[in-house]
Amino acid sequence: MSPIRQMLSESGLTEQQWRVLRVLNEHGALEPSQLSKHAALLLPSQTRIVQSMAQKGFVVRREHPNDRRRTVIEITDMGQAIINDNAAKAAEIAAQIRDKLGPRRFETLLDILDDLRDLE
Amino acid sequence: MSPIRQMLSESGLTEQQWRVLRVLNEHGALEPSQLSKHAALLLPSQTRIVQSMAQKGFVVRREHPNDRRRTVIEITDMGQAIINDNAAKAAEIAAQIRDKLGPRRFETLLDILDDLRDLE
DNA sequence: GCAATATATTTAACATGTTAATGATTTCGA
DNA sequence: TCGAAATCATTAACATGTTAAATATATTGC
């Protein structure tokens, strides 16, 4: 992740904040519990992360229409801009890693990690 | 790691503190930089971890014979006792995970992770 | 309809991760 | 040998990880 972190530091984002933006960009607005699954964050961490991202204007929180315990988290135009600025470079970095490891080994790694997650 | 953490919590240890004890048990007394490599800890984290472990009596810090910048960290009898109490169970848990994943996939995972580390 | 329970999230408290700055000592070269 | 540079470790500051407790709202069963 080191090259990714280096890229993000220029936008003032952490690796986790970047993951939140990417998930919201891909899935649209999400409730906290859904977001936490896709972004691989525990809810307490995510709460803090989303709070600071909301303060900086990268996301907004709306009321959930049916359930007042929940909220809905949505990416802003400013968050979108960050995605647009970094998506290409991030994809390139990921491709480099995949190629260095070998595409076959890379797929195998993802498979095994999936299995590991399901073990618990 | 969840079952390991559960086991350790009964001894009041974290996963990282357990790793420090295991490395010191296996390699004998070590300087901070050597310990950090074997235990996969960054030095600032390790400094805090070793400080709290020293306070609790699991390790001791001695002077380095030739270089006063360094110290030597050593496991105590009390730390040894923790190892003795938990080693068997930890090995059993590790074996269970390896078996669930399949011994072959487990080895493949270790290989790929080694390669990943060398990429940087 | 209301109390008990369940659900969704946040807060709290402490441990670790991460990067940069600082401190202390050693080493090297003029 | 003396001062600059290198080395080793710690401290500082902030972000996240992790577990337990607290809060707020919904749901269920009587």
Side-chain angles (χ1 to χ4, degrees):
Chain A
M1 292 308 299
S2 173
I4 293 281
R5 276 203 290 263
Q6 193 170 343
M7 170 188 81
L8 294 175
S9 71
E10 297 170 13
S11 303
L13 285 186
T14 66
E15 181 187 332
Q16 290 81 356
Q17 293 168 354
W18 168 248
R19 208 152 64 227
V20 165
L21 285 186
R22 275 174 44 210
V23 169
L24 293 178
N25 179 55
E26 187 172 343
H27 292 82
L30 288 177
E31 304 163 20
S33 56
Q34 302 303 313
L35 175 59
S36 81
K37 283 171 190 164
H38 291 297
L41 294 168
L42 294 182
L43 278 171
S45 287
Q46 182 181 280
T47 296
R48 286 180 311 222
I49 291 165
V50 168
Q51 281 170 349
S52 95
M53 292 177 76
Q55 282 219 332
K56 294 173 187 165
F58 298 130
V59 299
V60 290
R61 303 177 49 167
R62 300 198 320 257
E63 287 187 357
H64 188 284
N66 306 326
D67 189 336
R68 290 169 52 188
R69 291 170 301 184
R70 313 182 191 187
T71 62
V72 177
I73 304 166
E74 192 175 10
I75 193 170
T76 63
D77 290 347
M78 192 173 157
Q80 273 291 341
I82 300 280
I83 293 278
N84 297 337
D85 289 349
N86 293 282
K89 193 168 183 178
E92 182 190 343
I93 293 171
Q96 279 181 9
I97 293 175
R98 191 186 58 235
D99 289 350
K100 279 189 197 164
L101 196 61
R104 196 171 159 290
R105 289 169 78 70
F106 189 79
E107 291 304 323
T108 301
L109 175 59
L110 296 186
D111 282 353
I112 295 180
L113 292 181
D114 265 357
D115 289 355
L116 261 186
R117 180 177 48 198
D118 296 342
L119 276 193
E120 314 292 327
Chain B
M1 291 309 298
S2 172
I4 293 281
R5 278 204 288 264
Q6 192 170 343
M7 170 188 82
L8 295 175
S9 71
E10 297 170 13
S11 304
L13 285 187
T14 66
E15 181 189 331
Q16 290 81 355
Q17 293 168 354
W18 169 246
R19 207 151 66 228
V20 166
L21 285 187
R22 274 173 44 211
V23 170
L24 293 178
N25 180 54
E26 187 173 343
H27 292 81
L30 288 176
E31 304 162 21
S33 56
Q34 302 303 313
L35 176 58
S36 82
K37 283 172 192 164
H38 290 298
L41 294 169
L42 294 182
L43 278 171
S45 288
Q46 180 181 283
T47 296
R48 286 180 310 223
I49 291 165
V50 168
Q51 281 169 348
S52 95
M53 292 177 76
Q55 281 219 332
K56 294 174 187 164
F58 297 131
V59 300
V60 290
R61 304 178 48 169
R62 298 197 321 256
E63 286 186 358
H64 188 285
N66 307 326
D67 190 335
R68 289 170 52 189
R69 292 170 301 185
R70 314 182 191 188
T71 62
V72 176
I73 304 166
E74 192 174 11
I75 194 170
T76 61
D77 290 347
M78 193 174 156
Q80 272 292 341
I82 300 281
I83 293 278
N84 296 339
D85 288 348
N86 292 282
K89 192 168 184 178
E92 181 190 344
I93 293 172
Q96 280 181 8
I97 293 175
R98 192 185 58 235
D99 289 350
K100 280 189 195 165
L101 195 61
R104 196 171 159 291
R105 290 170 78 69
F106 189 79
E107 290 304 324
T108 301
L109 176 60
L110 296 187
D111 282 351
I112 295 179
L113 291 181
D114 265 357
D115 289 354
L116 262 186
R117 180 177 47 197
D118 295 341
L119 278 193
E120 318 291 329

